[in-house]
Amino acid sequence: MSTGDDKTATTIARAAKAAFEASQLIASSERVHALHELRDELVSAKAEILAANKRDLEAARQEVDAGCMSSSLLKRLDLNKGDKWDSMLQGVIDVANLPDPTGIVTYASELDDELELYRVSCPIGVLLVIFEARPEVVVNIATLAIKSGNAAILKGGKESNETARLLSKAIQSALSKTSIPSTYIQAIQTRAEVSALLELDQYIDLVIPRGSNSLVRSIQNNTRIPVMGHADGLCSVFLDESADLDKAVRIVLDSKTDYPAACNAAETLIVHEKVLLTVWPAVAEALLDADVQLLCDPPTISALQSLSSASGKLTSHVHQSTPDSYTTEHLSLTLSVITLPSLTDAIRFINAHSSHHTDCIVTENPAAASAFCRGVDSAGTFVNASTRFADGFRYGFGTEVGISTGRIHARGPVGLEGLVTYKYMLRSEKGHVVGEFGTGEGKKTYKHRGIEAKTVPFLE
Amino acid sequence: MSTGDDKTATTIARAAKAAFEASQLIASSERVHALHELRDELVSAKAEILAANKRDLEAARQEVDAGCMSSSLLKRLDLNKGDKWDSMLQGVIDVANLPDPTGIVTYASELDDELELYRVSCPIGVLLVIFEARPEVVVNIATLAIKSGNAAILKGGKESNETARLLSKAIQSALSKTSIPSTYIQAIQTRAEVSALLELDQYIDLVIPRGSNSLVRSIQNNTRIPVMGHADGLCSVFLDESADLDKAVRIVLDSKTDYPAACNAAETLIVHEKVLLTVWPAVAEALLDADVQLLCDPPTISALQSLSSASGKLTSHVHQSTPDSYTTEHLSLTLSVITLPSLTDAIRFINAHSSHHTDCIVTENPAAASAFCRGVDSAGTFVNASTRFADGFRYGFGTEVGISTGRIHARGPVGLEGLVTYKYMLRSEKGHVVGEFGTGEGKKTYKHRGIEAKTVPFLE
């Protein structure tokens, strides 16, 4: 990285911090105003933005033809596909209409007469968000940052540079029509800038990488700034000895095939040995009918020998698994299958192999459900429900930053709540001092009387 | 670091993770039971522990005599000083009696008929806690970890090795009388072990260093594991133009002199230029009477020329400040003083110079109080109250892990709540699948009906 990048990065980071600090004195209604302006800017710049997107798409198509880019990446670039453009606009308004996540009191106590303590939610500060191809993420993340009161520096994939540049321009124009500084949301283009920014922990408060495990780890290795990673999902479904056959078939099928490329799709199926010859063959048949490739251990292979209807697929779709099968995120119509002798073994296996994202038990036994939910150390522990439900929209958050694979600050699907922290505000009417409290004669003791308050009464 | 340390570290970290996972299936009442056993073990081993503490003290005294250790460090080592031993025992029981921080529902929603989502607090996993001299911290941290359901690996200062070894033995004995694995709490002795453990992000979930800024930064530089740092406090008091003189004197005096070595003591005083000749001289006089050294900018020095009563100290105790004065954590009877022309300048100055720990405004103007609390980006923003109130016990948390100088996950004084995260539990009665929901014909929509619940009904 050159000294030039360092300088630029410092200028960008400083401007972001200054914008954040200045914004703390601006009413939160102005942030909502900015989001409405943003929607209007996007509407008026639509033709221009889609033309830029076409240029990105053409350049990408050449890369795909030259074998330098995957065609799935190409698909994600297209901002004019289906209802993507309209959803992006709707998302801005939906987020604008959500309740303000800041200014909410989560703990309040009267420490003494006329000495009141409030813990109140507030923005984190400056976010550095690093994400891959999809250009609409620029607008999604900017929207979430503005709504939650955080300044943000955004780095998208280079494939969408032209589109992202115009989306950023629209964000700038929108901010310029409010009292929020335009450096509140800034876009950067190069990896060198990212590297330089990762050094600046005095200005940047949280790094949010959305991408592969290796992206997240490489960032964690290179910064003192806290990282909220959004990486792989290695989810599993466990068919307990009391699994209901119909539920097992429905859930495994949905978890695997509803959207195989998603991080909340199932990659591993664990079969309790007591249901090897009862539940498993029916589940396998449904999976084979859906064209799923099965990587099986010897017991689950043997148990399928009696399957006649799907026999044609037993050779083409059923293969012996290897130890690696159980640590692979297939992201395709492939499922690893293993037999285990007990619930306890299943919990241990999941804790050792899963990515602690979302795991499901299919069971009719409440004690097994309870043990599974307590024992499995994942962001989501599901009973008789598809792993695909692990999603901010489905959870009712309206929108999501992503699905955090860390367990500090925010875990699982992260909504606006994951972009706030809190501060303590203490107010005395009398000029309280600590020296008056204690155990000696004439000393006061703390009252710690709970206060019912949803907002801080002395904040204007 | 040798391969031997790597091996030992891996064994320790793996054992901690296994103990954590096993403990998730044990009732939380067993953790409370362990704390009562711990208290009993400490009572019976008192003589032995205090004898070991004497040996640590003697060794430390030789280090002090040889000029290799500060005498303040020596003081902190003494476990038999004042009511330290009894407070340590009482702390164990106090924490045992606090409400369980785990199993609490913080969000619950019915996504569909018979499809219920619960966000429920749970332990983080394996904590690596690194702290300095005071040996009783071994017991404090072990107590907090056990109560919150986290496994912990503890590394204290080498000065207290003998004492810490016996305290750890008591913890092991206590755990062995419960169904919690004894590797739930482990003590390590060497820095090489710490270095090796910082690599093991597959087993360790959070590092909690309590010490200097340089300790915290060095750890952040050397690990992918999230770090909850407890470092410097550079707190300030701002005398606004409407400051009440009596409150100003009381608050500045208490903030500076109640316990100057604490991280919540004030290090900087900011004087609004409009009160330079009214409030400031009285505050200065009280500080000089309390033997405080003042590092002043030219206007605050000039304003003191009229002080007659304290004139003797004007030469011995009042000195010209340098730019460094305002970024120094004095931790002694020294205070840096600066004049600024406005509230806005004071907020900017604090955001640029403070360590974002705790800052106070002395004012009779509600608008100024509100702007200060919103604009100052610190864990604590106080109105007319001493910075010394920033403390877990005073806030009503019963006890504290420390005062976090980070802003992610937990900020300011960290109680048991700072040692938990959450997971999502989703239960269906019917075997719900995502494919049934959507916008097409016959598709269901999400209900997102709030559920009033404090605990998860299907957990046993």
Side-chain angles (χ1 to χ4, degrees), chain A residues 111-115 428-449, chain B residues 250 389 393-394:
Chain A
L111 309 190
D112 188 26
D113 295 337
E114 299 180 82
L115 180 64
S428 162
E429 287 293 324
K430 298 177 179 165
H432 271 87
V433 295
V434 159
E436 297 172 322
F437 294 81
T439 50
E441 211 194 298
K443 295 283 187 178
K444 299 203 270 187
T445 54
Y446 291 94
K447 303 208 159 148
H448 296 143
R449 275 188 301 247
Chain B
R250 287 163 53 81
F389 282 108
F393 172 74
R394 287 166 202 152

PDB file of all heavy atoms in Angstrom, chain A residues 111-115 428-449, chain B residues 250 389 393-394:
ATOM      1  N   LEU A 111     -30.280   6.172  41.388  1.00  0.00           N
ATOM      2  CA  LEU A 111     -29.210   5.754  42.297  1.00  0.00           C
ATOM      3  C   LEU A 111     -29.388   6.402  43.659  1.00  0.00           C
ATOM      4  O   LEU A 111     -28.960   5.875  44.685  1.00  0.00           O
ATOM      5  CB  LEU A 111     -27.838   6.107  41.717  1.00  0.00           C
ATOM      6  CG  LEU A 111     -27.550   5.649  40.278  1.00  0.00           C
ATOM      7  CD1 LEU A 111     -26.063   5.872  39.950  1.00  0.00           C
ATOM      8  CD2 LEU A 111     -27.918   4.191  40.070  1.00  0.00           C
ATOM      9  N   ASP A 112     -30.028   7.569  43.658  1.00  0.00           N
ATOM     10  CA  ASP A 112     -30.305   8.319  44.885  1.00  0.00           C
ATOM     11  C   ASP A 112     -31.433   9.289  44.529  1.00  0.00           C
ATOM     12  O   ASP A 112     -31.786   9.427  43.356  1.00  0.00           O
ATOM     13  CB  ASP A 112     -29.043   9.093  45.317  1.00  0.00           C
ATOM     14  CG  ASP A 112     -29.198   9.744  46.697  1.00  0.00           C
ATOM     15  OD1 ASP A 112     -30.007   9.245  47.516  1.00  0.00           O
ATOM     16  OD2 ASP A 112     -28.509  10.764  46.939  1.00  0.00           O
ATOM     17  N   ASP A 113     -31.999   9.969  45.514  1.00  0.00           N
ATOM     18  CA  ASP A 113     -32.999  10.977  45.192  1.00  0.00           C
ATOM     19  C   ASP A 113     -32.367  11.975  44.219  1.00  0.00           C
ATOM     20  O   ASP A 113     -31.264  12.476  44.465  1.00  0.00           O
ATOM     21  CB  ASP A 113     -33.434  11.729  46.463  1.00  0.00           C
ATOM     22  CG  ASP A 113     -34.150  10.801  47.434  1.00  0.00           C
ATOM     23  OD1 ASP A 113     -34.687   9.760  46.983  1.00  0.00           O
ATOM     24  OD2 ASP A 113     -34.140  11.097  48.649  1.00  0.00           O
ATOM     25  N   GLU A 114     -33.071  12.240  43.129  1.00  0.00           N
ATOM     26  CA  GLU A 114     -32.600  13.208  42.136  1.00  0.00           C
ATOM     27  C   GLU A 114     -31.248  12.858  41.490  1.00  0.00           C
ATOM     28  O   GLU A 114     -30.484  13.749  41.110  1.00  0.00           O
ATOM     29  CB  GLU A 114     -32.551  14.621  42.747  1.00  0.00           C
ATOM     30  CG  GLU A 114     -33.938  15.068  43.199  1.00  0.00           C
ATOM     31  CD  GLU A 114     -33.943  16.451  43.801  1.00  0.00           C
ATOM     32  OE1 GLU A 114     -33.974  17.410  43.025  1.00  0.00           O
ATOM     33  OE2 GLU A 114     -33.914  16.567  45.047  1.00  0.00           O
ATOM     34  N   LEU A 115     -30.936  11.570  41.414  1.00  0.00           N
ATOM     35  CA  LEU A 115     -29.752  11.106  40.687  1.00  0.00           C
ATOM     36  C   LEU A 115     -30.179   9.904  39.846  1.00  0.00           C
ATOM     37  O   LEU A 115     -30.347   8.798  40.343  1.00  0.00           O
ATOM     38  CB  LEU A 115     -28.632  10.702  41.660  1.00  0.00           C
ATOM     39  CG  LEU A 115     -27.336  10.193  41.005  1.00  0.00           C
ATOM     40  CD1 LEU A 115     -26.651  11.271  40.178  1.00  0.00           C
ATOM     41  CD2 LEU A 115     -26.362   9.666  42.076  1.00  0.00           C
ATOM     42  N   SER A 428     -27.891  14.521  37.761  1.00  0.00           N
ATOM     43  CA  SER A 428     -28.182  14.900  39.140  1.00  0.00           C
ATOM     44  C   SER A 428     -28.785  16.305  39.163  1.00  0.00           C
ATOM     45  O   SER A 428     -28.434  17.148  38.357  1.00  0.00           O
ATOM     46  CB  SER A 428     -26.890  14.899  39.956  1.00  0.00           C
ATOM     47  OG  SER A 428     -27.070  15.636  41.147  1.00  0.00           O
ATOM     48  N   GLU A 429     -29.714  16.501  40.079  1.00  0.00           N
ATOM     49  CA  GLU A 429     -30.265  17.849  40.281  1.00  0.00           C
ATOM     50  C   GLU A 429     -29.399  18.634  41.250  1.00  0.00           C
ATOM     51  O   GLU A 429     -29.421  19.856  41.280  1.00  0.00           O
ATOM     52  CB  GLU A 429     -31.683  17.756  40.853  1.00  0.00           C
ATOM     53  CG  GLU A 429     -32.742  17.288  39.873  1.00  0.00           C
ATOM     54  CD  GLU A 429     -32.982  18.297  38.746  1.00  0.00           C
ATOM     55  OE1 GLU A 429     -32.917  19.509  39.002  1.00  0.00           O
ATOM     56  OE2 GLU A 429     -33.202  17.842  37.604  1.00  0.00           O
ATOM     57  N   LYS A 430     -28.654  17.926  42.077  1.00  0.00           N
ATOM     58  CA  LYS A 430     -27.972  18.543  43.217  1.00  0.00           C
ATOM     59  C   LYS A 430     -26.462  18.669  43.079  1.00  0.00           C
ATOM     60  O   LYS A 430     -25.825  19.252  43.946  1.00  0.00           O
ATOM     61  CB  LYS A 430     -28.218  17.693  44.465  1.00  0.00           C
ATOM     62  CG  LYS A 430     -29.659  17.563  44.891  1.00  0.00           C
ATOM     63  CD  LYS A 430     -29.723  16.625  46.088  1.00  0.00           C
ATOM     64  CE  LYS A 430     -31.133  16.445  46.606  1.00  0.00           C
ATOM     65  NZ  LYS A 430     -31.236  15.286  47.511  1.00  0.00           N
ATOM     66  N   GLY A 431     -25.879  18.046  42.063  1.00  0.00           N
ATOM     67  CA  GLY A 431     -24.418  17.984  41.994  1.00  0.00           C
ATOM     68  C   GLY A 431     -23.900  16.858  42.857  1.00  0.00           C
ATOM     69  O   GLY A 431     -23.070  17.064  43.750  1.00  0.00           O
ATOM     70  N   HIS A 432     -24.380  15.649  42.597  1.00  0.00           N
ATOM     71  CA  HIS A 432     -23.997  14.486  43.409  1.00  0.00           C
ATOM     72  C   HIS A 432     -22.513  14.153  43.291  1.00  0.00           C
ATOM     73  O   HIS A 432     -21.940  14.232  42.205  1.00  0.00           O
ATOM     74  CB  HIS A 432     -24.805  13.260  42.968  1.00  0.00           C
ATOM     75  CG  HIS A 432     -26.098  13.101  43.692  1.00  0.00           C
ATOM     76  ND1 HIS A 432     -27.256  13.716  43.280  1.00  0.00           N
ATOM     77  CD2 HIS A 432     -26.417  12.399  44.810  1.00  0.00           C
ATOM     78  CE1 HIS A 432     -28.241  13.397  44.107  1.00  0.00           C
ATOM     79  NE2 HIS A 432     -27.765  12.598  45.050  1.00  0.00           N
ATOM     80  N   VAL A 433     -21.926  13.731  44.408  1.00  0.00           N
ATOM     81  CA  VAL A 433     -20.535  13.281  44.426  1.00  0.00           C
ATOM     82  C   VAL A 433     -20.455  11.924  45.126  1.00  0.00           C
ATOM     83  O   VAL A 433     -21.270  11.612  45.990  1.00  0.00           O
ATOM     84  CB  VAL A 433     -19.597  14.298  45.113  1.00  0.00           C
ATOM     85  CG1 VAL A 433     -19.556  15.594  44.315  1.00  0.00           C
ATOM     86  CG2 VAL A 433     -20.006  14.558  46.561  1.00  0.00           C
ATOM     87  N   VAL A 434     -19.459  11.124  44.734  1.00  0.00           N
ATOM     88  CA  VAL A 434     -19.295   9.762  45.248  1.00  0.00           C
ATOM     89  C   VAL A 434     -18.885   9.750  46.721  1.00  0.00           C
ATOM     90  O   VAL A 434     -19.241   8.837  47.472  1.00  0.00           O
ATOM     91  CB  VAL A 434     -18.265   9.020  44.351  1.00  0.00           C
ATOM     92  CG1 VAL A 434     -17.644   7.836  45.053  1.00  0.00           C
ATOM     93  CG2 VAL A 434     -18.944   8.578  43.055  1.00  0.00           C
ATOM     94  N   GLY A 435     -18.134  10.798  47.125  1.00  0.00           N
ATOM     95  CA  GLY A 435     -17.639  10.867  48.494  1.00  0.00           C
ATOM     96  C   GLY A 435     -18.730  10.845  49.566  1.00  0.00           C
ATOM     97  O   GLY A 435     -18.469  10.521  50.728  1.00  0.00           O
ATOM     98  N   GLU A 436     -19.972  11.179  49.164  1.00  0.00           N
ATOM     99  CA  GLU A 436     -21.067  11.185  50.151  1.00  0.00           C
ATOM    100  C   GLU A 436     -21.590   9.786  50.461  1.00  0.00           C
ATOM    101  O   GLU A 436     -22.363   9.602  51.390  1.00  0.00           O
ATOM    102  CB  GLU A 436     -22.256  11.998  49.614  1.00  0.00           C
ATOM    103  CG  GLU A 436     -21.954  13.457  49.392  1.00  0.00           C
ATOM    104  CD  GLU A 436     -23.103  14.167  48.675  1.00  0.00           C
ATOM    105  OE1 GLU A 436     -23.728  13.557  47.776  1.00  0.00           O
ATOM    106  OE2 GLU A 436     -23.371  15.336  49.025  1.00  0.00           O
ATOM    107  N   PHE A 437     -21.217   8.811  49.615  1.00  0.00           N
ATOM    108  CA  PHE A 437     -21.743   7.453  49.774  1.00  0.00           C
ATOM    109  C   PHE A 437     -20.696   6.559  50.428  1.00  0.00           C
ATOM    110  O   PHE A 437     -19.502   6.791  50.291  1.00  0.00           O
ATOM    111  CB  PHE A 437     -22.116   6.869  48.398  1.00  0.00           C
ATOM    112  CG  PHE A 437     -23.258   7.576  47.736  1.00  0.00           C
ATOM    113  CD1 PHE A 437     -23.064   8.768  47.056  1.00  0.00           C
ATOM    114  CD2 PHE A 437     -24.547   7.062  47.818  1.00  0.00           C
ATOM    115  CE1 PHE A 437     -24.112   9.429  46.450  1.00  0.00           C
ATOM    116  CE2 PHE A 437     -25.608   7.715  47.208  1.00  0.00           C
ATOM    117  CZ  PHE A 437     -25.397   8.918  46.524  1.00  0.00           C
ATOM    118  N   GLY A 438     -21.151   5.569  51.153  1.00  0.00           N
ATOM    119  CA  GLY A 438     -20.198   4.637  51.765  1.00  0.00           C
ATOM    120  C   GLY A 438     -20.786   4.002  52.994  1.00  0.00           C
ATOM    121  O   GLY A 438     -22.005   4.012  53.198  1.00  0.00           O
ATOM    122  N   THR A 439     -19.906   3.429  53.831  1.00  0.00           N
ATOM    123  CA  THR A 439     -20.402   2.704  55.008  1.00  0.00           C
ATOM    124  C   THR A 439     -20.171   3.470  56.310  1.00  0.00           C
ATOM    125  O   THR A 439     -20.703   3.103  57.338  1.00  0.00           O
ATOM    126  CB  THR A 439     -19.710   1.328  55.115  1.00  0.00           C
ATOM    127  OG1 THR A 439     -18.297   1.528  54.997  1.00  0.00           O
ATOM    128  CG2 THR A 439     -20.192   0.390  54.027  1.00  0.00           C
ATOM    129  N   GLY A 440     -19.374   4.555  56.287  1.00  0.00           N
ATOM    130  CA  GLY A 440     -19.078   5.297  57.510  1.00  0.00           C
ATOM    131  C   GLY A 440     -20.284   6.085  58.033  1.00  0.00           C
ATOM    132  O   GLY A 440     -21.361   6.079  57.435  1.00  0.00           O
ATOM    133  N   GLU A 441     -20.092   6.769  59.135  1.00  0.00           N
ATOM    134  CA  GLU A 441     -21.181   7.534  59.750  1.00  0.00           C
ATOM    135  C   GLU A 441     -21.599   8.686  58.839  1.00  0.00           C
ATOM    136  O   GLU A 441     -20.747   9.365  58.248  1.00  0.00           O
ATOM    137  CB  GLU A 441     -20.697   8.090  61.102  1.00  0.00           C
ATOM    138  CG  GLU A 441     -21.819   8.206  62.119  1.00  0.00           C
ATOM    139  CD  GLU A 441     -21.378   9.065  63.321  1.00  0.00           C
ATOM    140  OE1 GLU A 441     -20.434   8.662  64.014  1.00  0.00           O
ATOM    141  OE2 GLU A 441     -21.980  10.143  63.511  1.00  0.00           O
ATOM    142  N   GLY A 442     -22.890   8.907  58.739  1.00  0.00           N
ATOM    143  CA  GLY A 442     -23.395  10.020  57.935  1.00  0.00           C
ATOM    144  C   GLY A 442     -23.320   9.776  56.438  1.00  0.00           C
ATOM    145  O   GLY A 442     -23.672  10.648  55.645  1.00  0.00           O
ATOM    146  N   LYS A 443     -22.852   8.583  56.032  1.00  0.00           N
ATOM    147  CA  LYS A 443     -22.720   8.291  54.599  1.00  0.00           C
ATOM    148  C   LYS A 443     -24.052   7.775  54.044  1.00  0.00           C
ATOM    149  O   LYS A 443     -24.821   7.123  54.759  1.00  0.00           O
ATOM    150  CB  LYS A 443     -21.639   7.221  54.380  1.00  0.00           C
ATOM    151  CG  LYS A 443     -20.242   7.683  54.771  1.00  0.00           C
ATOM    152  CD  LYS A 443     -19.639   8.604  53.731  1.00  0.00           C
ATOM    153  CE  LYS A 443     -18.175   8.909  54.076  1.00  0.00           C
ATOM    154  NZ  LYS A 443     -17.528   9.762  53.078  1.00  0.00           N
ATOM    155  N   LYS A 444     -24.282   8.065  52.774  1.00  0.00           N
ATOM    156  CA  LYS A 444     -25.504   7.597  52.130  1.00  0.00           C
ATOM    157  C   LYS A 444     -25.277   6.222  51.494  1.00  0.00           C
ATOM    158  O   LYS A 444     -24.144   5.850  51.216  1.00  0.00           O
ATOM    159  CB  LYS A 444     -25.899   8.580  51.021  1.00  0.00           C
ATOM    160  CG  LYS A 444     -26.180   9.991  51.516  1.00  0.00           C
ATOM    161  CD  LYS A 444     -27.069  10.748  50.539  1.00  0.00           C
ATOM    162  CE  LYS A 444     -26.251  11.492  49.505  1.00  0.00           C
ATOM    163  NZ  LYS A 444     -27.086  12.369  48.657  1.00  0.00           N
ATOM    164  N   THR A 445     -26.387   5.495  51.262  1.00  0.00           N
ATOM    165  CA  THR A 445     -26.286   4.250  50.501  1.00  0.00           C
ATOM    166  C   THR A 445     -27.064   4.401  49.193  1.00  0.00           C
ATOM    167  O   THR A 445     -27.999   5.194  49.113  1.00  0.00           O
ATOM    168  CB  THR A 445     -26.845   3.043  51.279  1.00  0.00           C
ATOM    169  OG1 THR A 445     -28.173   3.367  51.691  1.00  0.00           O
ATOM    170  CG2 THR A 445     -25.993   2.725  52.499  1.00  0.00           C
ATOM    171  N   TYR A 446     -26.658   3.635  48.196  1.00  0.00           N
ATOM    172  CA  TYR A 446     -27.316   3.702  46.885  1.00  0.00           C
ATOM    173  C   TYR A 446     -28.716   3.114  46.963  1.00  0.00           C
ATOM    174  O   TYR A 446     -28.941   2.107  47.612  1.00  0.00           O
ATOM    175  CB  TYR A 446     -26.478   2.969  45.834  1.00  0.00           C
ATOM    176  CG  TYR A 446     -25.193   3.718  45.543  1.00  0.00           C
ATOM    177  CD1 TYR A 446     -24.012   3.398  46.215  1.00  0.00           C
ATOM    178  CD2 TYR A 446     -25.180   4.767  44.642  1.00  0.00           C
ATOM    179  CE1 TYR A 446     -22.839   4.111  45.976  1.00  0.00           C
ATOM    180  CE2 TYR A 446     -24.013   5.490  44.400  1.00  0.00           C
ATOM    181  CZ  TYR A 446     -22.843   5.156  45.069  1.00  0.00           C
ATOM    182  OH  TYR A 446     -21.692   5.873  44.835  1.00  0.00           O
ATOM    183  N   LYS A 447     -29.675   3.772  46.308  1.00  0.00           N
ATOM    184  CA  LYS A 447     -31.066   3.311  46.365  1.00  0.00           C
ATOM    185  C   LYS A 447     -31.393   2.289  45.276  1.00  0.00           C
ATOM    186  O   LYS A 447     -32.171   1.378  45.520  1.00  0.00           O
ATOM    187  CB  LYS A 447     -32.006   4.516  46.271  1.00  0.00           C
ATOM    188  CG  LYS A 447     -31.690   5.518  47.383  1.00  0.00           C
ATOM    189  CD  LYS A 447     -32.849   6.360  47.821  1.00  0.00           C
ATOM    190  CE  LYS A 447     -32.562   6.902  49.227  1.00  0.00           C
ATOM    191  NZ  LYS A 447     -33.133   8.209  49.510  1.00  0.00           N
ATOM    192  N   HIS A 448     -30.837   2.474  44.063  1.00  0.00           N
ATOM    193  CA  HIS A 448     -31.086   1.526  42.968  1.00  0.00           C
ATOM    194  C   HIS A 448     -32.557   1.185  42.808  1.00  0.00           C
ATOM    195  O   HIS A 448     -32.940   0.016  42.803  1.00  0.00           O
ATOM    196  CB  HIS A 448     -30.256   0.237  43.169  1.00  0.00           C
ATOM    197  CG  HIS A 448     -28.774   0.472  43.117  1.00  0.00           C
ATOM    198  ND1 HIS A 448     -27.880  -0.200  43.910  1.00  0.00           N
ATOM    199  CD2 HIS A 448     -28.033   1.331  42.377  1.00  0.00           C
ATOM    200  CE1 HIS A 448     -26.644   0.222  43.662  1.00  0.00           C
ATOM    201  NE2 HIS A 448     -26.721   1.154  42.735  1.00  0.00           N
ATOM    202  N   ARG A 449     -33.360   2.241  42.677  1.00  0.00           N
ATOM    203  CA  ARG A 449     -34.799   2.062  42.435  1.00  0.00           C
ATOM    204  C   ARG A 449     -35.049   2.101  40.936  1.00  0.00           C
ATOM    205  O   ARG A 449     -34.691   3.084  40.272  1.00  0.00           O
ATOM    206  CB  ARG A 449     -35.579   3.229  43.059  1.00  0.00           C
ATOM    207  CG  ARG A 449     -35.921   3.082  44.525  1.00  0.00           C
ATOM    208  CD  ARG A 449     -36.868   4.206  44.967  1.00  0.00           C
ATOM    209  NE  ARG A 449     -36.274   5.527  44.757  1.00  0.00           N
ATOM    210  CZ  ARG A 449     -35.919   6.370  45.744  1.00  0.00           C
ATOM    211  NH1 ARG A 449     -36.138   6.045  47.004  1.00  0.00           N
ATOM    212  NH2 ARG A 449     -35.383   7.535  45.466  1.00  0.00           N
TER     213      ARG A 449
ATOM    214  N   ARG B 250     -17.908  21.069  44.074  1.00  0.00           N
ATOM    215  CA  ARG B 250     -18.102  19.710  44.609  1.00  0.00           C
ATOM    216  C   ARG B 250     -17.722  18.643  43.578  1.00  0.00           C
ATOM    217  O   ARG B 250     -17.024  17.674  43.877  1.00  0.00           O
ATOM    218  CB  ARG B 250     -19.587  19.493  44.959  1.00  0.00           C
ATOM    219  CG  ARG B 250     -20.077  20.202  46.190  1.00  0.00           C
ATOM    220  CD  ARG B 250     -21.613  20.278  46.210  1.00  0.00           C
ATOM    221  NE  ARG B 250     -22.281  19.000  46.047  1.00  0.00           N
ATOM    222  CZ  ARG B 250     -22.471  18.111  47.021  1.00  0.00           C
ATOM    223  NH1 ARG B 250     -22.016  18.365  48.227  1.00  0.00           N
ATOM    224  NH2 ARG B 250     -23.091  16.977  46.781  1.00  0.00           N
ATOM    225  N   PHE B 389     -18.929   8.183  39.505  1.00  0.00           N
ATOM    226  CA  PHE B 389     -20.096   7.285  39.559  1.00  0.00           C
ATOM    227  C   PHE B 389     -20.035   6.181  38.499  1.00  0.00           C
ATOM    228  O   PHE B 389     -20.806   5.224  38.560  1.00  0.00           O
ATOM    229  CB  PHE B 389     -21.399   8.086  39.395  1.00  0.00           C
ATOM    230  CG  PHE B 389     -21.829   8.816  40.638  1.00  0.00           C
ATOM    231  CD1 PHE B 389     -21.728  10.195  40.723  1.00  0.00           C
ATOM    232  CD2 PHE B 389     -22.334   8.120  41.735  1.00  0.00           C
ATOM    233  CE1 PHE B 389     -22.117  10.878  41.871  1.00  0.00           C
ATOM    234  CE2 PHE B 389     -22.733   8.789  42.892  1.00  0.00           C
ATOM    235  CZ  PHE B 389     -22.627  10.174  42.954  1.00  0.00           C
ATOM    236  N   PHE B 393     -20.864  -1.361  40.421  1.00  0.00           N
ATOM    237  CA  PHE B 393     -21.570  -1.445  41.700  1.00  0.00           C
ATOM    238  C   PHE B 393     -22.501  -0.245  41.878  1.00  0.00           C
ATOM    239  O   PHE B 393     -23.678  -0.382  42.209  1.00  0.00           O
ATOM    240  CB  PHE B 393     -20.581  -1.540  42.867  1.00  0.00           C
ATOM    241  CG  PHE B 393     -21.269  -1.433  44.189  1.00  0.00           C
ATOM    242  CD1 PHE B 393     -22.022  -2.487  44.680  1.00  0.00           C
ATOM    243  CD2 PHE B 393     -21.216  -0.250  44.928  1.00  0.00           C
ATOM    244  CE1 PHE B 393     -22.700  -2.383  45.889  1.00  0.00           C
ATOM    245  CE2 PHE B 393     -21.894  -0.128  46.131  1.00  0.00           C
ATOM    246  CZ  PHE B 393     -22.637  -1.198  46.618  1.00  0.00           C
ATOM    247  N   ARG B 394     -21.960   0.951  41.603  1.00  0.00           N
ATOM    248  CA  ARG B 394     -22.783   2.171  41.764  1.00  0.00           C
ATOM    249  C   ARG B 394     -23.960   2.194  40.785  1.00  0.00           C
ATOM    250  O   ARG B 394     -25.021   2.730  41.088  1.00  0.00           O
ATOM    251  CB  ARG B 394     -21.910   3.417  41.570  1.00  0.00           C
ATOM    252  CG  ARG B 394     -20.996   3.609  42.773  1.00  0.00           C
ATOM    253  CD  ARG B 394     -19.865   4.605  42.579  1.00  0.00           C
ATOM    254  NE  ARG B 394     -18.839   4.264  43.554  1.00  0.00           N
ATOM    255  CZ  ARG B 394     -17.542   4.490  43.404  1.00  0.00           C
ATOM    256  NH1 ARG B 394     -17.087   5.082  42.334  1.00  0.00           N
ATOM    257  NH2 ARG B 394     -16.708   4.122  44.340  1.00  0.00           N
TER     258      ARG B 394
END
